[in-house]
Amino acid sequence: MSSNLQELPVEVIAKIFAFLGFKDLISVSRLNHFLRDVYEGFPELQYSFALQVAGMVDGEPSFDIRRKLEELNRREEAWRTLDLSRVVNVKIPHRTSHIYDLSGGIYLLGDCFNYTVTRDTHSLRMFDLASCASGPSIRTESWREIKLDTHIIDVGFCLREFDLLAVVGIKKGQEGEKDSIVVYLIEFSTGRPHPLAQNPEIVVGESTSEWGKMSIMMEIVGPRLLLLLTWRSLPRRTENRARDILILVNWWEGRAITAISSALATWDGFVFLTPDLILLPNRHREQFDIVELPDVTAPQASVAPELKTILCLGLPQLQPSCTIGAIACRADPNPVGAPHPAVHSQKRKARGSVMPDPASALVLIQFYLREFSNAHDFLLGQWGVLRHNVTLVVHRAALVELARASQNGTLEKKTIQQEGIPGPFLPWAKWRAKARFCADDAHVSNWITTTAGQRYIGMTDSGRILVKDFNPHSVQRARANVAGGPGIMDVDSEQGLEDTTMLTEYGFGGNTDANSKWGFSNRNAATTSRDFDFTTEWDDEDTCDDEHVGSDFKENSSSTWRSVRLVECFSGEEVVELERLFLDEFNVLPLPCVEYVSAREYTYHGLLMDEERIVGLRHDENTGAIVEFDVFTL
């Protein structure tokens, strides 16, 4: 048997290379010209490398590899340069309600044309944003409509897995009966009841209108459909009886699995971390609970299974004058759950050639904080003079790593047990280096769909579109083009960021440093040892010293516009804002990112995004209804 790798057929070598991670692929392709030629001769290897570095996964295996590779490289380049040249204006032909969603390139808005006073929603309108990649620059056509004989409260998509549109509505009861909360399961492509659902109309409870205005959040992963029911604007006589309710449903079989409740205004939302783990922010305890969901496909038991809290994450302590008004959260896309036994026979329409890797996606948590002007306002629970909006960003992979460490016991030395806390408690100081508070977004959005994959969108004071990229490889690419320690640094977008060779394009060229995790010599060892290490060993935290928080931030806060910035510290303005809200000091290097800023200024009332486009919204100043939007296809 030959021990010379070069004597093997190149097809066999390429098959072996296909099992390598991108860092190993870099290493072997550096060994000699022959192995370099093998890499460059097989687009499958280049595609695998590009997917891993971009934080993407293959969206449609049947598509041509070369075409997918070209499209992925083109799109990533468009995001790096924030190329907003392809724009289409869409006029909305109906009166929009508060119902909306954006997933898989489909933008859904509720229609309340016949209910202009109450803005009740009985119809849903859909627009395919992918159609804006070509065609006219102004779109005025009617949208596809789905009508339901119900008062629609919320909607949820699961398009990539099951072509599913789930709608939660209030169904009027018969004479003498209460109204019901019903989940309608619809096949999106046809508008008919979903063929995989044994019961396409699932009753999950009675509508308790006497508790006040009901809000519902819904997410779907595999067979799990999770609902959160909350109430606002409560009559005082019902305040003590109202509860937040979390309901877990198996939508394949049409049965409720279990439900838990908590005091009013405990929960506002949740995020799936894995198919069986969720992040559940708790307002009352000012912490995040990581909760394990039971197996919904197990045979029904006489006793409902429990939801187990496996870890509680502490948050920075609020100033005495501040309280949490609400917490909204989102991560896109959701994890991919178990396939339905019959799903292989269902031909699904591809939503795109590639999609963000759910495992590495960002979790975005928006805090709406209230700062009371005096003790009297605080005691009465009234709104203070000032309202603040800050956003916490953390990788889903980091939270999953913490959860798994808690489950296997390796986190035990860092956690504490506290009375009244349902699981092991990890203080904020023990995990803050894995996250970042963003307090510099001048645009306070009413929409949470501002993240896709590892990117997060906002606006500057002047109205420029701002994209924050938390992909570690984007950060390393930017570091390869700047020198110096942590801070906020301008990146020369004309030098190095557009290199086309495999090694330099992603920042892996040049001299290596044995002490550097990623092979860079222009980054001090203190910071390289910390960045993007999702293990649970993070005792050695880097600090933002006064020199960087002062000089670098002041130097780069001038009116001179730069399209790309590497951000590794909090700005001076952010520190002032965060320390006004929290008692903790923000002197530890947070999760770094690269900022891309548009050259043009815009006047949008809101921004949305998915993996390949940005949507700028404009609404009616009097009614608040969205009247038009611009679609930037990257």
Side-chain angles (χ1 to χ4, degrees), residues 92 94-100 107 109-110 112 115-119 443 445-447 604-606 608 617-629:
I92 299 177
H94 64 276
R95 172 77 181 276
T96 62
S97 69
H98 63 283
I99 301 293
Y100 83 100
Y107 186 29
L109 285 170
C112 63
Y115 300 86
T116 55
V117 177
T118 63
R119 297 189 72 185
H443 177 71
S445 177
N446 293 323
W447 297 271
Y604 294 127
H605 297 111
L608 313 177
L617 306 175
R618 296 187 182 93
H619 61 64
D620 185 293
E621 296 285 357
N622 296 319
T623 65
I626 303 171
V627 294
E628 66 174 356
F629 56 88

Side-chain angles (χ1 to χ4, degrees), residues 282-287 314-327 367-372 378 388-390 428 437 577-586:
N282 187 306
R283 255 206 282 164
H284 284 179
R285 291 200 297 264
E286 298 178 7
Q287 66 184 40
L315 295 172
Q317 187 176 353
L318 287 169
Q319 293 282 358
S321 60
C322 296
T323 62
I324 299 175
I327 302 176
F367 291 81
Y368 301 93
L369 302 174
R370 302 177 293 190
E371 183 182 11
F372 294 95
F378 182 83
H388 302 263
N389 176 50
V390 295
W428 165 249
F437 269 107
E577 175 71 358
L578 292 172
E579 293 187 350
R580 177 175 182 168
L581 302 173
F582 300 101
L583 291 172
D584 296 60
E585 293 184 352
F586 288 83

Side-chain angles (χ1 to χ4, degrees), residues 152-344:
I152 299 172
I153 304 298
D154 192 30
V155 296
F157 278 133
C158 193
L159 297 180
R160 291 187 176 96
E161 286 184 81
F162 300 109
D163 190 31
L164 172 65
L165 168 63
V167 181
V168 182
I170 304 299
K171 187 174 184 179
K172 290 291 184 181
Q174 301 295 329
E175 186 176 352
E177 296 180 348
K178 289 188 175 181
D179 298 345
S180 300
I181 304 172
V182 181
V183 179
Y184 300 85
L185 304 170
I186 301 168
E187 188 176 39
F188 177 77
S189 58
T190 65
R192 296 192 292 264
H194 203 286
L196 297 179
Q198 295 180 19
N199 179 11
E201 295 186 14
I202 306 174
V203 178
V204 296
E206 294 181 344
S207 175
T208 52
S209 57
E210 66 272 14
W211 282 8
K213 183 178 180 181
M214 180 174 62
S215 297
I216 294 181
M217 179 184 177
M218 172 173 54
E219 294 289 345
I220 307 156
V221 173
R224 293 181 174 93
L225 186 152
L226 194 60
L227 289 165
L228 174 61
L229 283 60
T230 60
W231 282 264
R232 299 295 181 266
S233 304
L234 299 178
R236 289 195 176 274
R237 66 179 182 276
T238 64
E239 284 183 351
N240 294 330
R241 294 188 290 116
R243 309 282 290 177
D244 291 344
I245 304 174
L246 194 66
I247 304 173
L248 179 63
V249 175
N250 179 334
W251 70 268
W252 293 352
E253 301 175 10
R255 61 185 176 95
I257 303 301
T258 191
I260 59 173
S261 65
S262 187
L264 186 68
T266 298
W267 305 316
D268 293 302
F270 61 88
V271 167
F272 269 95
L273 301 180
T274 69
D276 63 347
L277 291 178
I278 63 168
L279 182 76
L280 187 63
N282 187 306
R283 255 206 282 164
H284 284 179
R285 291 200 297 264
E286 298 178 7
Q287 66 184 40
F288 298 155
D289 296 336
I290 298 181
V291 179
E292 185 177 25
L293 304 177
D295 181 7
V296 299
T297 61
Q300 189 167 3
S302 57
V303 179
E306 295 183 352
L307 276 66
K308 181 182 178 182
T309 301
I310 61 175
L311 182 64
C312 301
L313 299 175
L315 295 172
Q317 187 176 353
L318 287 169
Q319 293 282 358
S321 60
C322 296
T323 62
I324 299 175
I327 302 176
C329 50
R330 178 177 172 86
D332 184 68
N334 271 333
V336 177
H340 191 282
V343 79
H344 66 276

Side-chain angles (χ1 to χ4, degrees), residues 79 82 84 102 362 364 366 389 391 393 438 440-445 447-452 454-460 464-470 596 598 604 606-610 613-616 632 634:
W79 279 109
L82 202 54
L84 303 180
L102 172 61
L362 294 179
L364 202 70
Q366 289 186 348
N389 176 50
T391 302
V393 177
C438 298
D440 58 349
D441 188 356
H443 177 71
V444 179
S445 177
W447 297 271
I448 189 62
T449 47
T450 54
T451 182
Q454 299 183 68
R455 297 185 178 99
Y456 158 47
I457 195 168
M459 293 190 76
T460 67
R464 288 189 171 98
I465 294 175
L466 170 66
V467 176
K468 297 176 184 282
D469 187 351
F470 289 87
Y596 305 96
S598 68
Y604 294 127
L607 290 173
L608 313 177
M609 74 175 299
D610 64 13
R613 56 188 66 85
I614 295 170
V615 180
F632 300 93
L634 287 92

